[in-house]
Amino acid sequence: MKNEQSIRILEGFDKEQFQQDLIHWFQQEQRELPWRQDQDPYRVWVSEIMLQQTRVDTVIPYFNHFMEKFPTPDALAEADEQDVLKAWEGLGYYSRARNLQTAVREVVDSYDSKVPDNEKELGALKGVGPYTRGAILSIAYNIPSPAVDGNVMRVLSRILMIEDDIAKPATRKIFESIIRETISEENPSAFNQGLMELGAIVCTPKNPSCMLCPVQEHCRAFHEGKEKELPIKSSQKKQKRVPYIVVLVQDGIGRYVVQKRPDEGLLANMWQFPMMPLHEYDRNKIQQWFHHEYGIDVSFGTTMDTLKHTFSHVIWDLEVVTGVAQNGTLEHEEARFVTKEELQQLPFPVSHQKIMKHIL
């Protein structure tokens, strides 16, 4: 069904010439990236999940390492989740890795290890939203399907002078409709990747390189001198700050207490050092808190570090203190004593990797 607003926006827009200019530029200027070596749908899928919320330069070594460990859907489906999280360690947003493995297992079980090539089946897989679905279908299968993320909305909002708030879900629907109207039927892979590439290296958020833009003549915002005013995006809610004391508790033979986080929620199934939430407990009662949580009496030392770690919705303020286990038996069912060597085998989030450097 055609969206009336998208039809109105596209009035007078030379979409055929726009397609040609964009695709020609992409084919000439695209960066050499490891997931562009072929159109294997599994590789495209892994790269697109990794690239969500993460810079290309950061992703490249992770992608190469991940594909070495899990080169096929079957290899990832059969892997231990802790090994997958370890391979993802440092990339953040770890639910991406867990959802990817869950979805790949379904592909192996239900589709004979072949990534689905239609919107309904692909979109039903865990963690595959409209953008990822469109990226896989267009890039890997050359099917004209919209892949709309913030990057693409920024580019098109400037080219077509769209002043709707891109933070609103309804606006994404407008862009999806526009892409369905403008995407190249002959080469949807290069068209969608061209839009992504344009947003990454030319039509950047702060200072777009309009003089280098291959589709400058099509850009309404440029001709109006409004390219830096678009896109319009309402501000996000302010992140709340949560203070913790992180305790590095060592026993008499040099092992440290670590615990596995719950299997749902933030950083699920990752490992961490014990964290005392200061918004719930008095800092002077750290000994009682530790004994209650872990069954061990500890003598605590001084603060050895403070650091801040920012998530999309919350900021952790971490104070790191040392401690020595005196007596008692570790009673927390998700906690255990581990050696320095064992520490390095477990998947830890970035915040606790920074803390681990004091040990290693």
Side-chain angles (χ1 to χ4, degrees), residues 43-114:
R43 290 171 63 87
V44 171
W45 185 4
V46 171
S47 73
E48 288 298 337
I49 298 298
M50 285 189 169
L51 287 164
Q52 292 169 15
Q53 314 275 12
T54 312
R55 290 167 51 86
V56 167
D57 291 346
T58 302
V59 166
I60 290 172
Y62 278 96
F63 177 83
N64 289 332
H65 175 62
F66 198 88
M67 297 313 297
E68 284 175 17
K69 285 187 69 71
F70 316 112
T72 63
D74 293 79
L76 182 57
E78 293 164 8
D80 185 278
E81 187 192 77
Q82 291 285 292
D83 291 336
V84 175
L85 290 174
K86 184 67 179 175
W88 207 272
E89 184 184 65
L91 265 182
Y93 300 93
Y94 297 96
S95 60
R96 295 181 298 172
R98 294 191 303 275
N99 290 343
L100 174 63
Q101 187 180 33
T102 299
V104 166
R105 283 174 173 162
E106 185 174 344
V107 167
V108 170
D109 292 341
S110 302
Y111 301 107
D112 196 25
S113 302
K114 180 184 181 294

Side-chain angles (χ1 to χ4, degrees), residues 42-303:
Y42 171 64
R43 290 171 63 87
V44 171
W45 185 4
V46 171
S47 73
E48 288 298 337
I49 298 298
M50 285 189 169
L51 287 164
Q52 292 169 15
Q53 314 275 12
T54 312
R55 290 167 51 86
V56 167
D57 291 346
T58 302
V59 166
I60 290 172
Y62 278 96
F63 177 83
N64 289 332
H65 175 62
F66 198 88
M67 297 313 297
E68 284 175 17
K69 285 187 69 71
F70 316 112
T72 63
D74 293 79
L76 182 57
E78 293 164 8
D80 185 278
E81 187 192 77
Q82 291 285 292
D83 291 336
V84 175
L85 290 174
K86 184 67 179 175
W88 207 272
E89 184 184 65
L91 265 182
Y93 300 93
Y94 297 96
S95 60
R96 295 181 298 172
R98 294 191 303 275
N99 290 343
L100 174 63
Q101 187 180 33
T102 299
V104 166
R105 283 174 173 162
E106 185 174 344
V107 167
V108 170
D109 292 341
S110 302
Y111 301 107
D112 196 25
S113 302
K114 180 184 181 294
V115 179
D117 60 1
N118 65 81
E119 289 191 356
K120 184 177 180 182
E121 292 176 344
L122 192 55
L125 296 172
K126 193 170 182 67
V128 178
Y131 169 77
T132 305
R133 180 189 67 200
I136 295 169
L137 290 175
S138 60
I139 297 170
Y141 290 118
N142 224 28
I143 293 170
S145 181
V148 176
D149 64 354
N151 218 13
V152 169
M153 286 194 286
R154 179 177 68 255
V155 171
L156 288 179
S157 70
R158 289 170 176 166
I159 289 170
L160 296 168
M161 269 284 280
I162 297 171
E163 298 178 305
D164 297 69
D165 181 358
I166 67 167
K168 294 181 177 178
T171 304
R172 183 181 296 268
K173 297 290 186 188
I174 294 170
F175 282 100
E176 287 177 354
S177 179
I178 286 169
I179 296 270
R180 287 191 189 278
E181 292 294 313
T182 58
I183 193 169
S184 166
E185 299 283 334
E186 291 75 31
N187 197 346
S189 176
F191 180 89
N192 274 352
Q193 288 186 88
L195 283 177
M196 298 170 194
E197 194 81 337
L198 194 66
I201 64 178
V202 175
C203 196
T204 50
K206 295 272 175 69
N207 293 299
S209 303
C210 296
M211 293 305 133
L212 302 176
C213 181
V215 292
Q216 184 205 96
E217 67 175 276
H218 304 279
C219 185
R220 294 170 180 172
F222 173 75
H223 293 302
E224 294 281 336
K226 292 185 175 181
E227 67 275 4
K228 292 185 180 179
E229 297 172 24
L230 295 170
I232 291 169
K233 184 178 183 181
S234 56
S235 58
Q236 296 177 319
K237 292 180 181 177
K238 193 175 180 182
Q239 296 153 308
K240 67 174 183 177
R241 300 187 80 117
V242 184
Y244 290 95
I245 290 180
V246 182
V247 288
L248 297 180
V249 173
Q250 198 173 10
D251 67 4
I253 57 174
R255 301 178 304 169
Y256 289 86
V257 177
V258 295
Q259 75 179 73
K260 193 179 182 185
R261 290 180 65 85
D263 58 10
E264 292 185 353
L266 183 65
L267 303 176
N269 287 338
M270 300 294 284
W271 289 78
Q272 67 178 34
F273 300 103
M275 293 173 62
M276 175 181 172
L278 288 176
H279 59 293
E280 296 179 19
Y281 298 94
D282 185 331
R283 67 182 303 112
N284 296 320
K285 295 182 179 178
I286 186 171
Q287 286 178 313
Q288 295 98 307
W289 172 81
F290 203 93
H291 180 83
H292 179 264
E293 290 288 319
Y294 299 95
I296 298 175
D297 293 322
V298 174
S299 63
F300 287 96
T302 57
T303 298

